[in-house]
Every structure is written in C-alpha cells, then in structure tokens.
C-alpha cells in the first residue's frame, strides 16, 4: 500500500460512496425485525433495540485510545497472524500481520480493498444491502472488518487470529464488521475469531462474505465465548466452488442475545461443508442459530452437528435448514441437533428443516431434547463425586464432542477449561 | 461396621424390602444369594443411596453414622462402594479423569490433600495390572464400548483404586469367563484385610470357591430368610431355593 493514511480514507470513501449512500437511505426505511417475521419468530430483539448505542468513530472523539493487555486473550502456544479490533476500531499497533506468505493479502478492509479488486468485489456480492435492517446498517457503516485473499495454491503457514476486544467502561458500543474472504484454487487457511468483552457489553454485528474457489479449504472458528452480556447479530455467507471445503465451528457460551445466521451455497460438485455448533444459554439469555446448507449442485456433502445446554430461564433456537435442489443428485446431507435442558424454565425451539427436491440423495437428521441421565449421574456420585461436580462432568462430556471436532488441537484444552469454568457458573 | 435394622423400602408404591436385618463386621465377607427379583440389587442401591426408593422404616448405620441422611457421594466418601450389576457407559468422560475426580472428591470430603499426579498414575498402572484391565481402556470413556467382562473388571479396578471400607459386589461374577472370574476374585482377595468388609451378591457357588464367605444369607421376597456359613451356599447350589422357602413358610 503506497498511499498515505489520509488519502487512503478518501479513496475508500470514493470506492464505496454510492453503496454506502444507498444503504443509509435503505436503512432508515427498514424497521427492526419482530417476532411476527417468520425468521425471527422466537427471537425478540428488545435487549438490542432498547439500548442507546454509540458507533466506534464517535467514541474515539471522547476517548483517548489506551493500550489494553491482549496477551491473556490469545491462546498460549498458538502461533498466528493477528488482527485486533479494540472497541470496534482496528488497532494496527496491536496487530501482527506483516510476514505473510507470498500471494496472501490480509488486513483491515480499509487497507486492502483499494488495491485488491478480488476483495473489493466481494463487498455486497453475497450480502445484499436491503435484506433487512442489519444488512443495511452494516453496509451504511462500512468501515471496519478484515479482508483475506489467498492466491492459487498458497497454503497459509499459520492460522489467522482475529481478536475483537471491548473494554469501554461506560458507553454501549455498536460495532459493525464486514469481513471478506476469498480463497483461490487450492488455497488453504484457518481463521479463528474470538470475542472478548471485559467492559460494558456492546452490540456487535459481524458479517462475512466468503468465496471459496475450486479445491480450496477454509476452517473458520467463531468463538463467542467471552461476550459477557453482549448482543450479537451475525451473518456468514459462503459460496463454494467444486471440491472446496468449508468447516465452521461456532462455540457460543456467552452473550445476552446472540443470533447467528450461517449459510453456505454449493456452486460446484464435490463440495464439503461442515458445521459444528455448541450453545449454552442460561439466566435470561437467548442464543439463536439459523443455519442453511444450500445443495444446489450434485455430489456434495454436508455434515452438521449442533449441541446445546440450556439452563435457568435461558432460551435457545436451532433452525437448521438443508435445501437439496432438484439438480443436486447424489447429495449426502447429515444433520444432528441435541439439546440438554436443565430445569423447568429452560427452553429450546429446535427446528430441523429439510427441503429435498432431488430423488437420489442420502439425507438424515436427528433432533433430541433431553436431560442429564440419572443413571450416569448416580454412577458418578456413587464413586464419591458431588452432584454438582458430576453434573459438570456430564455436561462437559456432552459438549466436549463439539470441542473435539475443532481441528486445531492446541485450542481444545483452553476451550475445555473455559467451558468448564462457565459450567461452574450456570445460573 | 454396617448395621441394617428393620429396613423397609418401596419403589412406586411397591414394597420391595420388607424388613432387612444385617450386621457386617470388619474383616468379614458376607454373601447374599436369592432368586431373581428378590430385592438384592434394591438392597445394594438403597445402601449406596440411589434416588427413587422410599425408605419407610429402619436404619442403616455405617461406622456409627446413619447413612439414610447422607447423599450417595457422602456415603462413598465414608467408605461404601457399590460394584454395579450393570455398570453404565458414560460417553465423553475418560476413565482417568473420572477416577482422579472421584479420588480427589473423596479426599476433599475427608479433609485430605489432592492426590499427586505421578502417584495417581502409578497407582492406576498397578491396579489395572492387578485386575487384568488393558491399559488402553483407561484412555477410553468410562465403560464405553467395553465388553461385559471388561465392565466388571473395571468395577473391581475402581474398587482397588478407591479402597473402600465396605464393598458391595452386585453379581460381579455374572457374564465373566473363568479367567476373568479368577482375576476379579484374586483382586478382591488381595484387597481383603482385617479393616474392610465385603458383601458379595451372587447366584453362583463358583465365585464363592474363590472368595470364601464367612456368612451366607438367603434373600427372598424382601427378607433374609436364612443365614449360615459357607456350607449354606453349597447346599443351595445342590438343592435350589425351594426347600429354604418352604421351611420358612411352614415355620
Ligand atoms: N424402578 C423399578 N420400578 C419398579 N419395580 C422395580 C424397580 N426396580 C426394581 N423393581 C422390582 O423390585 C424387585 C426386586 O428387584 P431387584 O433388582 O432388587 O432384584 P434382584 O434380587 O437384584 O434380582 P436379580 O437377581 O435378577 O438381579 C423386582 O420385582 C423388580 O421388578
Ligand atoms: Mg440384581
């Protein structure tokens, strides 16, 4: 990037000015979705709409940027390229992404979209401004987020770790992110996104547009593990060309109101899509996962496993839609969703939604809602393990299946520890 | 060590234990035999503290404490161990982690420091060898995918690890091949000493050839209808239960 910072901002404005202007207009005409919308039936947005928020650029005027200690939020022993957003603003000084392999572009979108037309072209390609109020606003406020472009045949040497840290103490920040990923043929990357809230709980709206070329491979972890009382509305859209593979791990054990939309469409044969999800809602929290795999072409496979624990007055929604279109013969689609309810007030709305229009396919789904097994509990207690500890062991074992599916082995133990701690504080 | 007096228990309105009296002293081995459905497993479950039973009368005193007031985990930490007739599989909980947690929870209850990692692993190896449990099974989840015999060996392995004062073995011999039976019996015999006691529930004299009991009791329809020494078991093996039942009914 040869442009100085000030010119960069100007060119950025020019590049997307009409998109942004249009989005601003659309946004004001779109109300927040309500429970009368089928897609938001079980997810009232009161916790979000009732907030008075401030966007990061306004915050900067009142706050002197301070340097938080981010070390404790990184995974020990994980060697990664690092991008840090602090209270919704990119922190170049805390990030580490200069020594990338040849053929890799990585950085905040403001920095990378100017020179990288592949990334610039992704903005608005998969996510349309007018879909709803969130997409419109996310576009109207287009500024923050990362772009990753990996050229043909390049395999990233290390994972990319994106840390979103919020430590603002007084104001409720509304932070929008637009993240863009383009992997070319035979490219491979691993992306870890982690949310850490230590201050006032923000409203976060991350949106991803991900385009995977033939035979490329992306593993994408979304760690919603320290969101505190945040509201998070996320949208991830993925398009896959032939022989590509996309694995998404969404681990959610924090947040007051979390809605994740995760959608993949297959454009070429032999794609593989994996979704692994874990949700833990207690107190009055609500976690809603809406997933979609769109099998539009033949010979693709999808494998989805979501597990959840709901306690207290918590509420979870799982809406897993698998679309197998008429042309998508020889599709293999597998889905399972299991939820444990602890106590009489916990709720889950589980809705597997298989729409199959092809006849030569293998599709299966299973959904269970249950409780901690009494026999197992007694077995543990009869060996001297207290009821509390025994329950925790069983819950951890149940949820652990999802953690074990994370392919980066070095993350599993810290994730177990974090979940274990969380399970000790169920309310 | 264990004194059970006039114990009556019911499950879903159905009386199953109809007045059990039993006294077990340190160093003793007691055997309980009796037809299917007579209440043997119910008795062991009630002693171990399983929920779902309503104890309507009686007491279970263990080393001076009333067990009926304690939670299952407290009874375990006091020194009662139940080797289950049907050990459950617990997917996702590794044997190692399970046992370490169990030992440390019991130690905590007794006000002792947690076991040291190295000492724990050493003990694991020794005891697994003692009961002939393959080391690779330790890495697996508790009982998951274990064969019937491996599950039973695992019960005795846990017994060896936890070293309780009173061990109740509920049909630990059922489903074991000859070698496994001997391994289990050898394990128990090695663990026997003058401070602990065993209550062995079985249908077969065979086990009692290896673990020789001091007392044999016949449980029938919720009551102990006869007690004797080890020769009673031989007699039962030969003649079945009918004669005991008839003698009781005419008495
Ligand atoms: N959960 C339950 N609900 C209803 N009845 C039960 C329950 N558990 C046990 N029983 C009944 O209690 C009686 C005693 O059962 P128990 O398992 O104690 O017998 P047992 O002597 O151990 O038999 P076995 O030799 O077959 O193991 C049986 O009639 C059984 O059907
Ligand atoms: Mg029985």
């Amino acid at each position: 990037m040869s442009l100085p910072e000030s010119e960069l901002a100007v060119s950025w404005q020019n590049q997307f000015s009409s998109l942004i202007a249009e989005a601003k207009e659309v946004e004001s005409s779109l109300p927040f979705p309500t429970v009368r919308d089928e897609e938001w039936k079980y997810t009232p947005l009161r916790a979000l709409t009732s907030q008075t928020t401030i966007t990061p650029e306004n915050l900067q005027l009142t706050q002197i940027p301070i340097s938080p200690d981010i070390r404790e939020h990184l995974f020990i022993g994980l060697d990664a390229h690092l991008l840090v957003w602090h209270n919704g603003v990119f922190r170049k000084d805390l990030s580490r992404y200069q020594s990338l392999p040849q053929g890799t572009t990585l950085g905040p979108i403001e920095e990378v979209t100017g020179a990288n037309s592949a990334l610039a072209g992704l903005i608005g390609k998969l996510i349309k401004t007018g879909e709803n109020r969130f997409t419109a606003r996310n576009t109207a406020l287009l500024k923050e987020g990362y772009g990753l472009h990996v050229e043909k045949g390049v395999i990233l040497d290390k994972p990319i770790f994106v840390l979103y840290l919020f430590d603002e103490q007084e104001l409720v920040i509304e932070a929008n992110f637009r993240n863009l990923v383009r992997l070319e043929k035979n490219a491979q990357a691993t992306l870890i996104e982690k949310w850490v809230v230590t201050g006032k709980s923000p409203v976060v709206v991350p949106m991803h547009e991900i385009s995977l070329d033939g035979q490329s491979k992306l593993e994408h972890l979304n760690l919603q593990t320290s969101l505190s009382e945040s509201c998070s509305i996320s949208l991830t859209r993925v398009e896959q060309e032939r022989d590509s593979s996309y694995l998404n791990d969404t681990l959610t054990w924090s947040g007051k109101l979390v809605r994740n939309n995760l959608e993949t469409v297959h454009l070429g044969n032999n794609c593989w899509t994996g979704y692994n999800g874990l949700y833990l809602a207690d107190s009055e929290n609500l976690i809603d996962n809406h997933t979609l795999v769109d099998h539009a072409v033949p010979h693709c496979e999808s494998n989805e496993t979501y597990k959840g624990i709901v306690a207290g007055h918590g509420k979870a929604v799982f809406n897993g839609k698998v679309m197998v279109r008429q042309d998508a013969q020889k599709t293999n689609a597998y889905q399972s969703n299991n939820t444990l309810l602890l106590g009489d007030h916990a709720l889950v709305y589980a809705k597997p939604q298989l729409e199959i229009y092809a006849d030569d396919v293998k599709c299966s789904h299973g959904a269970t809602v249950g409780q901690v097994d009494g026999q197992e509990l007694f077995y543990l207690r009869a060996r001297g393990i207290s009821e509390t500890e025994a329950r925790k062991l069983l819950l951890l074992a149940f949820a652990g299946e999802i953690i074990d599916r994370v392919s980066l082995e070095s993350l599993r133990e810290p994730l177990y520890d974090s979940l274990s701690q969380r399970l000790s504080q169920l309310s | 060590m264990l004194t059970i007096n006039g114990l009556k228990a019911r499950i879903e309105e159905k009386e199953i234990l109809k007045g059990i009296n039993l006294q077990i002293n340190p160093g003793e081995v007691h055997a309980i035999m009796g037809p299917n459905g007579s209440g043997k497993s119910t008795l062991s479950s009630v002693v171990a503290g399983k929920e779902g039973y309503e104890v309507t009368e009686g007491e279970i005193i263990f080393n001076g404490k009333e067990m009926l007031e304690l939670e299952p985990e407290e009874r375990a930490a006091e020194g009662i161990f139940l080797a289950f007739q049907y050990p459950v599989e617990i997917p996702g909980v590794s044997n190692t982690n399970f046992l370490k947690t169990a030992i440390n929870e019991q130690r905590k209850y007794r006000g002792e420091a947690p076991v040291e990692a190295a000492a724990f692993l050493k003990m694991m190896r020794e005891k697994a060898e003692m009961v002939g449990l393959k080391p690779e099974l330790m890495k697996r989840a508790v009982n998951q995918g274990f064969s019937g015999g491996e599950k039973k060996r695992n019960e005795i392995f846990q017994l060896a690890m936890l070293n309780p004062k009173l061990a109740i073995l509920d049909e630990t011999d059922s489903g074991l091949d000859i070698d496994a039976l001997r391994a289990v019996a050898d394990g128990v015999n090695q663990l026997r000493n003058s401070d602990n006691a065993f209550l062995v529930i079985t249908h077969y004299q065979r086990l009692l050839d290896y673990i020789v009991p001091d007392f044999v009791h016949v449980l029938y329809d919720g009551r102990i209808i006869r007690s004797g020494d080890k020769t009673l078991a031989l007699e039962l093996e030969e003649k079945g239960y009918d004669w005991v039942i008839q003698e009781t009914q005419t008495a």
Side-chain angles (χ1 to χ4, degrees):
Chain A
M1 217 66 37
S2 54
L3 289 174
E5 297 277 327
S6 56
E7 278 179 50
L8 194 72
V10 174
S11 75
W12 165 265
Q13 292 293 337
N14 290 342
Q15 200 174 0
F16 299 106
S17 57
S18 62
L19 181 76
I20 290 170
E22 182 215 313
K24 282 187 173 145
E25 224 164 274
V26 174
E27 184 210 339
S28 57
S29 69
L30 283 171
F32 281 108
T34 70
V35 291
R36 284 182 300 279
D37 293 294
E38 187 60 30
E39 284 294 296
W40 298 84
K41 203 167 164 184
Y42 303 109
T43 309
L45 294 172
R46 223 172 308 112
L48 185 152
T49 54
S50 61
Q51 307 250 32
T52 307
T53 59
I54 179 167
T55 50
E57 66 267 28
N58 294 324
L59 181 77
Q60 277 201 307
L61 300 175
T62 60
Q63 288 263 310
I64 308 148
I66 41 148
S67 277
D69 189 354
I70 59 166
R71 275 171 305 180
E72 62 174 308
H73 309 307
L74 310 177
F75 290 98
I76 299 159
L78 178 76
D79 189 14
H81 304 289
L82 176 67
L83 299 174
V84 180
W85 268 267
H86 180 214
N87 293 326
V89 179
F90 183 64
R91 289 291 298 260
K92 193 163 189 152
D93 56 328
L94 300 175
S95 302
R96 238 183 10 238
Y97 59 104
Q98 282 74 20
S99 55
L100 293 157
Q102 274 268 322
T104 309
T105 305
L106 174 70
I109 50 174
E110 244 185 329
E111 207 175 272
V112 297
T113 48
N116 188 312
S117 57
L119 289 176
L122 263 182
I123 296 185
K125 184 179 183 212
L126 304 178
I127 296 176
K128 300 299 170 201
T129 303
E131 288 182 39
N132 62 33
R133 188 185 171 102
F134 295 109
T135 56
R137 186 157 174 81
N138 192 273
T139 311
L141 296 173
L142 189 69
K143 183 171 185 347
E144 303 294 345
Y146 64 84
L148 167 67
H149 178 200
V150 187
E151 286 171 29
K152 229 184 239 177
V154 176
I155 294 170
L156 274 198
D157 54 338
K158 306 184 231 180
I160 294 163
F161 187 89
V162 184
L163 177 68
Y164 304 95
L165 174 65
F166 292 86
D167 61 3
E168 156 62 29
Q169 293 300 314
E170 272 153 41
L171 301 164
V172 180
I173 297 171
E174 179 203 349
N176 280 266
F177 303 91
R178 180 67 64 96
N179 299 323
L180 311 168
V181 178
R182 167 81 192 278
L183 300 193
E184 285 186 22
K185 222 173 156 205
N186 282 310
Q188 287 184 26
T190 299
L191 260 172
I192 306 160
E193 302 190 36
K194 185 180 177 192
W195 300 85
V196 178
V197 175
T198 61
K200 189 99 178 159
S201 290
V203 171
V204 298
V205 186
M207 295 196 172
H208 295 81
E209 298 184 81
I210 299 176
S211 179
L212 304 179
D213 287 1
Q215 286 151 288
S216 65
K217 199 170 165 188
L218 179 66
E219 175 163 7
H220 186 188
L221 283 95
N222 183 12
L223 305 181
Q224 300 174 317
T225 51
S226 312
L227 275 171
S228 191
E229 301 277 289
S230 306
C231 297
S232 170
I233 308 288
S234 81
L235 171 58
T236 301
R237 278 229 176 96
V238 185
E239 56 173 21
Q240 288 185 245
E241 292 289 352
R242 63 176 306 150
D243 298 304
S244 64
S245 120
Y246 176 70
L247 173 60
N248 181 292
D249 305 284
T250 295
L251 308 183
T252 312
W253 53 78
S254 59
K256 170 131 210 78
L257 167 63
V258 177
R259 163 67 175 247
N260 296 317
N261 270 74
L262 171 60
E263 307 177 1
T264 301
V265 60
H266 296 156
L267 305 177
N269 296 351
N270 280 317
C271 292
W272 186 87
T273 305
Y275 292 166
N276 298 319
L278 182 60
Y279 47 92
L280 195 164
D282 65 347
S283 186
E284 310 252 306
N285 302 336
L286 164 60
I287 298 171
D288 174 349
N289 282 292
H290 266 63
T291 66
L292 166 68
V293 183
D294 188 348
H295 287 270
V297 295
H299 290 287
C300 294
E301 186 176 326
S302 63
N303 193 328
E304 174 168 19
T305 309
Y306 267 73
K307 281 184 146 187
I309 297 167
V310 190
H313 284 81
K315 197 162 110 178
V317 181
F318 173 77
N319 190 121
K321 186 166 171 174
V322 176
M323 171 74 90
V324 181
R325 296 188 191 269
Q326 209 167 356
D327 286 342
Q329 299 297 359
K330 305 283 181 194
T331 289
N332 251 326
Y334 169 84
Q335 181 189 84
S336 88
N337 170 228
N338 305 302
T339 308
L340 290 182
L341 294 182
L342 314 183
D344 297 334
H345 302 289
L347 266 179
V348 63
Y349 300 97
K351 188 178 175 196
Q353 218 183 329
L354 269 62
E355 292 188 22
I356 302 172
Y357 300 102
D359 45 25
D360 186 13
V361 299
K362 277 200 202 110
C363 298
S364 72
H365 75 95
T368 65
V369 178
Q371 277 148 7
V372 171
D373 185 282
Q375 304 277 355
E376 295 178 8
L377 198 58
F378 179 61
Y379 191 85
L380 297 175
R381 294 180 70 189
R383 296 296 177 252
I385 301 173
S386 68
E387 185 176 0
T388 321
E389 197 60 31
R391 275 184 189 281
K392 212 176 98 178
L393 268 180
L394 293 176
L395 294 177
L396 206 55
F398 170 79
E401 188 198 337
I402 301 299
I403 294 180
D404 290 341
R405 284 166 176 254
V406 170
S407 58
L408 275 171
E409 246 174 88
S410 60
L411 295 196
R412 289 185 206 149
E413 200 179 306
L415 287 171
Y416 262 107
D417 290 347
S418 162
L419 178 61
S420 168
Q421 247 181 35
R422 179 68 180 85
L423 286 172
S424 307
Q425 303 154 356
L426 281 184
S427 58
Chain B
M1 173 185 281
L2 178 75
T3 307
I4 299 177
N5 280 325
L7 183 67
K8 293 189 179 176
R10 48 174 60 203
I11 185 160
E12 290 160 10
E13 301 302 303
K14 184 175 160 214
E15 185 156 72
I16 304 202
L17 301 182
K18 302 177 178 174
I20 303 271
N21 297 303
L22 187 64
Q23 170 71 37
I24 299 178
N25 300 309
E28 294 177 350
V29 174
H30 290 240
I32 291 188
M33 304 182 82
N36 294 130
S38 57
K40 303 182 296 297
S41 292
T42 303
L43 175 62
S44 44
S45 297
V46 170
V47 173
K50 188 169 179 177
E51 281 166 22
Y53 300 93
E54 189 196 346
V55 173
T56 52
E57 265 178 59
E59 55 183 15
I60 303 174
I61 310 293
F62 183 67
N63 288 332
K65 283 188 192 161
E66 173 55 85
M67 288 297 113
L68 290 170
E69 286 159 13
L70 299 188
E71 300 293 333
E73 57 269 30
E74 294 172 319
R75 300 183 198 196
E78 291 288 345
I80 294 178
F81 178 94
L82 169 59
F84 286 82
Q85 182 174 2
Y86 303 109
V88 290
E89 303 195 4
I90 310 186
V93 177
S94 81
N95 255 311
T96 309
N97 186 24
F98 158 60
L99 265 173
K100 197 171 188 177
T101 310
I103 287 176
N104 284 336
E105 289 266 297
Q106 290 202 14
R107 292 178 71 100
K108 191 165 85 188
Y109 178 88
R110 297 192 288 255
E112 299 162 10
V115 64
E116 283 198 15
F120 173 77
L121 289 175
K122 183 163 173 271
M123 183 157 78
M124 288 265 289
R125 269 198 307 276
E126 285 170 7
K127 306 294 182 188
E129 199 187 317
M130 179 176 134
V131 300
L133 199 64
K134 287 184 237 129
E136 61 260 33
L137 292 181
M138 288 305 101
K139 296 193 193 90
R140 299 235 296 262
V142 178
N143 293 324
Q144 201 179 24
F146 284 30
S147 75
E150 287 168 345
K151 281 182 186 164
K152 296 301 180 76
R153 282 191 205 236
N154 195 21
E155 293 294 291
I156 302 304
F157 169 65
Q158 291 170 35
L159 165 65
M161 291 292 289
L162 294 166
N163 194 22
K165 296 195 184 96
L166 172 69
I168 304 170
L169 311 187
D170 190 357
E171 293 197 29
T172 301
D173 53 336
S174 307
L176 291 186
D177 62 36
I178 302 290
D179 289 341
L181 184 73
R182 193 168 286 149
V184 161
D186 283 351
V188 169
N189 286 328
Q190 284 182 55
L191 294 167
R192 277 180 78 168
N193 61 44
S194 57
D195 294 326
N196 62 19
F198 290 82
L199 178 60
V200 180
I201 296 171
T202 182
H203 287 294
Y204 307 107
Q205 163 60 30
R206 204 179 51 167
L207 177 70
L208 304 179
D209 287 339
Y210 297 110
I211 306 174
V212 181
D214 301 297
F215 300 93
V216 175
H217 311 276
V218 177
L219 184 64
Y220 174 72
D221 191 23
R223 287 188 188 87
I224 290 176
I225 57 168
R226 183 179 286 244
S227 298
D229 61 13
K230 63 183 180 190
T231 57
L232 177 56
L234 291 166
E235 217 172 335
L236 291 169
E237 174 96 336
E238 194 183 320
K239 300 197 278 185
Y241 291 109
D242 280 354
W243 65 277
V244 196
I245 295 165
Q246 263 156 28
E247 275 182 26
T248 325
Q249 279 163 351
T250 53

